[in-house]
Amino acid sequence: MRDPFADPADTEAQPKQGGALDAGFMLDWASAEARHRECLFLPWLEPERDRWPGDLGAALRGLGVGQGHEASRETAAGLVSHKEAVGVLELPASAFNRGLRRHRRVEPRAGRFYPRAFIAGHAGIEAGDRELFRVGALEEDRLVADLNHPLAGHQLRLRARVMDRHAHGRDDDRSVNIARLLTARGPGMQARWRGRPTDFWTGGALEREDPDRDAVFYAAPRRVHHLDATARAEIAALYGACIPPGARVLDLMSSWESHLDRVETPEAVIGLGMNAQELADNPRLASAHVQDLNVWPGLPYSPGSFDAVACTASVEYLTQPEAVFQAVREVLRPGGVFVVTFSDRCFPTKAIAVWERLYDFERMGLVLDLFLRAGFADLATFSLRGLPRPADDPYAGRLDHADPVFAVWGYRRD
């Protein structure tokens, strides 16, 4: 799996003391379904002031730019509390407050995450509690509420690298909780609960606010970037790492721009998208085909036609996603890879309903579920958050961070 912090722009032979530092963190773990890597960039950290896991702050304090440190197993394990029976509650199904959301009724779904306020009044939980819990087993008259952190019980590996240093510290008096930032509302949520499939697909999950055919929405070429330059570059680097040299690649749900510049000497890049003019303007494509996968989810290619398939910032628009994933597996050669990337931005009226209801890391779980249903193997997920937003980006000054990158990939093995 890719390490986005492996090659900082500058390196220093000698470490520096004092001041603040920018650090890249990489958290590796595995579930029964996949391998996972979570990457987080945190700027302006102070080893002496902030709250660090174990002795990680002290270790980074003596390192120069480009140098890294791997935390001990004990330090990594201490990022989250261990699973305990007391963290799992057996409640009547009526304990879930379905009418808590102002604008809509919320039904609990097995495997999904909700603020604890939905079960206020139990186990000392108060109304307004925004910490998350997971609905485990759900039956007509029984609800299992798992209050444990979703990473609890998993073996964790934590590494950090100094990316830059500052001669002085922050201009505030706050203390940053590093462990909290590494683990809050995210890592672990993409894994299944005790190996059981998550209920993503019931309750109108595949409906959309705008039910009109996508041919209407995409009738005119848009030629806009859906992600900022930093996110696009990271996605290109990820494709370059996952897709082998000389591959024949299908750019699924393509447009005027592909993100395959880092793929080494591809045999050909074939595009399938919704707008003929955008596809014609894409310099990476050797050929292109216009097709609405929500009308016909099959692919117009022979079985075993491709070494790799990439889908960028589009999976949330599929109304027949399981059929599309099955079709992708069919056109891949044995050993071929399918890589799906996305961020936290989309056209909300065209995204399927369930996408809007999920937290970011749950969305990785949904995509992972599609890979599992389609029979892909050697699955992996990847997240990258916290990088600075480009200075020339239209949202610079309003949004501190670049668009996050989330990815799931797997292989056809037969």
Side-chain angles (χ1 to χ4, degrees), residues 37-336:
R37 173 164 291 176
E38 326 297 358
C39 300
L40 180 65
F41 177 82
L42 295 176
W44 290 92
L45 301 178
E46 296 190 34
E48 295 83 4
R49 189 203 306 189
D50 295 329
R51 297 168 60 188
W52 294 80
D55 63 352
L56 186 57
L60 294 186
R61 182 173 54 194
L63 298 182
V65 173
Q67 295 179 319
H69 175 77
E70 179 167 351
S72 67
R73 286 188 178 183
E74 293 75 18
T75 294
L79 290 174
V80 297
S81 59
H82 294 287
K83 269 189 181 296
E84 299 175 0
V86 72
V88 179
L89 306 178
E90 294 245 359
L91 304 173
S94 60
F96 190 93
N97 187 353
R98 290 163 171 79
L100 190 62
R101 288 284 168 87
R102 183 180 305 172
H103 301 296
R104 63 180 174 88
R105 179 180 172 86
V106 176
E107 291 291 340
R109 305 290 177 189
R112 300 259 291 274
F113 289 84
Y114 305 88
R116 291 185 181 183
F118 276 96
I119 53 171
H122 300 273
I125 296 171
E126 299 180 355
D129 191 337
R130 305 307 297 173
E131 286 291 319
L132 301 183
F133 81 99
R134 190 171 207 169
V135 173
L138 181 62
E139 300 165 358
E140 289 186 4
D141 58 352
R142 173 176 170 267
L143 182 151
V144 176
D146 191 341
L147 307 184
N148 293 294
H149 192 284
L151 283 175
H154 293 288
Q155 184 173 321
L156 308 178
R157 182 185 183 191
L158 175 63
R159 286 169 284 177
R161 188 184 300 274
V162 177
M163 307 303 296
D164 199 1
R165 281 193 170 273
H166 310 278
H168 58 87
R170 298 190 300 268
D171 295 328
D172 56 51
D173 57 1
R174 63 191 174 93
S175 176
V176 176
N177 187 330
I178 309 299
R180 175 71 178 174
L181 293 177
L182 288 172
T183 59
R185 287 180 174 255
M189 295 171 70
Q190 67 267 50
R192 288 177 168 179
W193 188 78
R194 298 183 179 179
R196 304 181 187 184
T198 300
D199 182 1
F200 289 118
W201 307 111
T202 60
L206 296 172
E207 296 175 356
R208 300 194 293 179
E209 182 180 334
D210 178 2
D212 290 344
R213 284 196 172 190
D214 288 347
V216 176
F217 189 78
Y218 293 102
R222 294 176 180 270
R223 292 186 62 86
V224 295
H225 292 300
H226 300 293
L227 302 173
D228 67 57
T230 296
R232 298 196 305 271
E234 294 296 338
I235 287 175
L238 180 67
Y239 288 151
C242 291
I243 298 175
R248 182 176 175 83
V249 185
L250 173 60
D251 185 6
L252 191 67
M253 305 178 78
S254 183
S255 63
W256 67 284
E257 179 188 43
S258 292
H259 303 79
L260 299 163
D261 299 342
R262 300 282 292 273
V263 177
E264 186 177 343
T265 59
E267 175 189 320
V269 177
I270 311 300
L272 185 147
M274 285 295 301
N275 184 278
Q277 185 59 56
E278 286 192 13
L279 294 171
D281 291 343
N282 188 328
R284 298 291 299 174
L285 302 183
S287 64
H289 178 76
V290 176
Q291 180 180 325
D292 186 347
L293 292 172
N294 291 335
V295 174
W296 182 51
L299 295 174
Y301 309 108
S302 301
S305 298
F306 296 96
D307 301 292
V309 178
C311 180
T312 308
S314 299
V315 67
E316 61 267 32
Y317 305 122
L318 292 172
T319 60
Q320 302 180 69
E322 189 171 353
V324 172
F325 274 60
Q326 292 281 1
V328 168
R329 187 178 183 279
E330 180 71 15
V331 301
L332 279 173
R333 296 165 182 157

